[in-house]
Amino acid sequence: REGFPSLLTEEAILPEGTGGYATGPFSIADCAWAPTLRRLVDMELQLGDYPKIQLWIEQLLSRPAWQRSKGPDLTPRPWIEAS
């Protein structure tokens, strides 16, 4: 468990048995983290060593409000070279 030190910290501070949210019930903390958690999914990081973070991602990104508000899936655009 060396690859992502900041994820180790988050994994350690997430409470046990809370339904997968940052502070227990769904809160503004989850809203603040949602874009970052989505990026972890988009980057296809292997999160097998972080079961609480995986649960958090699943719970948060499956919420109907997130599904409605997330916007289109983003794809990287190639750099446009100056002519």
Side-chain angles (χ1 to χ4, degrees), residues 14-69:
L14 284 171
E16 295 285 344
T18 63
Y21 296 113
T23 61
F26 180 74
S27 71
I28 191 70
D30 299 297
C31 295
W33 271 95
T36 300
L37 296 175
R38 179 181 177 201
R39 285 186 194 97
L40 294 179
V41 171
D42 291 346
M43 291 170 26
E44 299 178 358
L45 294 179
Q46 300 303 312
L47 300 172
D49 287 340
Y50 311 97
K52 289 194 257 179
I53 291 175
Q54 283 185 311
L55 177 61
W56 190 19
I57 289 171
E58 291 168 13
Q59 294 292 330
L60 187 57
L61 301 187
S62 67
R63 290 180 63 88
W66 173 257
Q67 293 297 312
R68 288 191 307 271
S69 69

